[in-house]
Amino acid sequence: MSHPDRSNLPIRERLGLRPIINVSGTMTALGASIIVPEAIQAMAEMAPQWVEMDDLQRKASATIARLTGAEAGFVTASCASGIAMAIAGAMTGTRLLAIERLPDDTTGLKNEVIIQLGHIVNYGAAVDQSIRLAGAKVIPAGTVSVAQSYHVDEAITPATAAVLYVVAHHTVQYGMLSLEEVCEIAHAKGVPVIVDAASEYDLRGFLARGADIVIYSGHKFLSGPTSGLVAGRKDLVRAAYLQNRGIGRGMKVGKETVAGVMAALDVWERRDHAGIRARETAALHLWLKALEGLPGIEAHIIPDPTDNPLDRIEVNVLPESGFSAAGLAATLAAGSPPIIVRNHEVERGHFFLDPCNLHPGEAEIVAKALRDVLTSKDRPEGAMQPARKPVSGALRWPD
Ligand SMILES: *Cc1c(COP(=O)(O)O)cnc(C)c1O
């Protein structure tokens, strides 16, 4: 019996994967972002070539420096890797034997990292694990709702390697110390400040405001390949880069990724940000219109919580709609095509629609699906399901 030739099918179909539409944002679990064509081209061009990796990373350093205002930079596997490597670098400096001894032997090294308690977020993994991966001890400062200067100031000891400052919609958005305040306290005692800005548009602001190192994801707003960018003070970046001889080995990136990130950064510099914003805004208005007048649905535009130039729709789902927010999200995810909404706050009765990862025509498909599901007379099983975060699926993988 001959197998049907599947080689001409689009890759998702060929592999038997659901053709999802992503209105949830730059989610690792969904493939992070749509890689820009220039980065894809650079990756394909670099893939078959030999190259001296330290030289390639030197070129990447110059590109990262140009875009961020940093003295130096490098590319690693992810922002989470970048955090671990930057912290390890703050601990070891350029001591090569110390680098080989991490993470379990920190004899003679500074091995404490201070982080405001309201910054200990989970983005699929917990940020404090990136600290512990380097062999450092997590020193939480303040409480979940309040951190004051003395919480950081008095936590600094001769063993303090760094303060980690997290910028994300996941952090507690009130009561925390600002980056400026943290830098002032830490720098007065000679302690570097490392910023996790994985998902931020602003490539210059955090260093300009005093951070010693800032780390971005290459695969979020930059729309590059999966990667992390570490940028900042040259001595600290060098020490972090040297971790490739130690804990960074398992976080390494290939030549194609470095080339792809460099291309994505080039594109970012000349990207038509206003044009993209206008397209995103058009999608938001389309969705608002689709949701208008539907019983039990209240939708409005809300700005990004960390001031990225990006708006989303917040969809409040009231019982009169016949759905819970979780039930509506699950129904859309089970549809054809499956539509994945931004559902991390679904237990609060709402989800978000994020317009920043759409292919042409998808905004219309989402609008129609919203309207179809909500105006249908039937309510599917599970329409009123409570919000749950089951791990049972993960525990069954690969089945
Ligand atoms: C996504 C994210 C990370 C992790 O980024 P990766 O590059 O996927 O490792 C870290 N911190 C924050 C705030 C994030 O949003």
Side-chain angles (χ1 to χ4, degrees):
M1 219 167 65
S2 72
H3 291 282
D5 182 10
R6 299 170 64 84
S7 59
N8 285 330
L9 292 175
I11 189 158
R12 292 188 296 187
E13 246 180 273
R14 205 161 75 230
L15 298 178
L17 298 169
R18 300 205 306 156
I20 57 170
I21 292 179
N22 176 19
V23 281
S24 72
T26 52
M27 295 292 160
T28 289
L30 301 179
S33 61
I34 300 168
I35 302 181
V36 290
E38 292 86 345
I40 295 171
Q41 162 74 20
M43 291 167 79
E45 223 179 304
M46 189 57 92
Q49 303 300 337
W50 297 108
V51 43
E52 290 156 288
M53 286 303 291
D54 285 339
D55 285 344
L56 179 59
Q57 288 272 23
R58 271 189 191 94
K59 299 296 179 192
S61 175
T63 302
I64 292 169
R66 191 178 80 236
L67 273 283
T68 61
E71 292 173 1
F74 69 90
V75 182
T76 181
S78 63
C79 178
S81 314
I83 296 168
M85 292 174 81
I87 284 167
M91 295 165 69
T92 62
T94 55
R95 294 163 60 184
L96 299 180
L97 181 56
I99 288 169
E100 290 182 9
R101 283 179 172 162
L102 292 185
D104 56 312
D105 183 354
T106 61
T107 313
L109 303 179
K110 295 175 190 287
N111 69 342
E112 292 180 358
V113 173
I114 298 170
I115 177 170
Q116 297 181 74
L117 191 54
H119 281 196
I120 303 186
V121 299
N122 185 304
Y123 37 75
V127 70
D128 62 299
Q129 192 168 29
S130 280
I131 299 174
R132 289 182 284 115
L133 263 175
K137 223 168 98 185
V138 180
I139 309 291
T143 60
V144 286
S145 54
V146 180
Q148 301 211 58
S149 318
Y150 66 84
H151 288 125
V152 172
D153 190 34
E154 292 183 36
I156 295 175
T157 72
T160 305
V163 180
L164 180 63
Y165 188 97
V166 180
V167 185
H169 66 272
H170 289 305
T171 65
V172 175
Q173 300 292 320
Y174 57 88
M176 299 294 113
L177 295 168
S178 69
L179 178 58
E180 286 80 354
E181 288 169 316
V182 167
C183 288
E184 193 182 323
I185 298 161
H187 291 165
K189 295 187 170 169
V191 171
V193 175
I194 297 170
V195 173
D196 168 3
S199 199
E200 301 306 301
Y201 271 64
D202 185 351
L203 295 185
R204 292 187 170 266
F206 305 105
L207 291 173
R209 286 159 61 197
D212 299 280
I213 283 204
V214 62
I215 303 148
Y216 296 93
S217 294
H219 47 274
K220 291 185 179 172
F221 291 126
L222 287 170
S223 302
T226 297
S227 57
L229 281 67
V230 178
R233 238 172 68 191
K234 192 183 280 185
D235 60 329
L236 290 171
V237 169
R238 177 181 295 132
Y241 182 71
L242 283 172
Q243 307 303 319
N244 281 309
R245 309 164 68 106
I247 64 159
R249 176 64 186 199
M251 308 169 181
K252 84 172 180 187
V253 281
K255 59 201 172 182
E256 68 288 351
T257 294
V258 182
V261 169
M262 291 173 72
L265 284 168
D266 280 342
V267 171
W268 183 258
E269 227 175 359
R270 49 195 166 76
R271 189 149 139 168
D272 175 16
H273 292 278
I276 290 171
R277 186 98 195 259
R279 277 206 296 286
E280 291 174 357
T281 305
L284 298 182
H285 287 289
L286 189 71
W287 297 337
L288 277 183
K289 190 145 176 288
L291 293 168
E292 207 173 74
L294 295 174
I297 297 291
E298 288 170 5
H300 57 266
I301 293 180
I302 61 152
D304 178 76
T306 60
D307 295 333
N308 288 305
L310 168 71
D311 300 318
R312 300 185 179 88
I313 305 269
E314 181 181 303
V315 182
N316 289 285
V317 185
L318 310 174
E320 302 90 278
S321 69
F323 283 101
S324 64
L328 181 52
T331 302
L332 291 164
S336 177
I339 293 168
I340 315 293
V341 303
R342 190 174 181 87
N343 68 355
H344 62 284
E345 289 182 13
V346 89
E347 68 266 44
R348 298 175 66 192
H350 61 236
F351 58 73
F352 303 91
L353 300 172
D354 183 308
C356 75
N357 275 286
L358 295 169
H359 288 292
E362 289 185 338
E364 290 75 9
I365 296 172
V366 172
K368 180 166 184 311
L370 286 167
R371 190 96 206 155
D372 287 352
V373 166
L374 286 161
T375 56
S376 158
K377 296 223 172 16
D378 316 318
R379 289 292 175 261
E381 201 184 325
M384 295 297 281
Q385 65 181 263
R388 283 173 292 131
K389 294 192 173 78
V391 290
S392 49
L395 296 180
R396 280 196 306 273
W397 188 92
D399 297 330

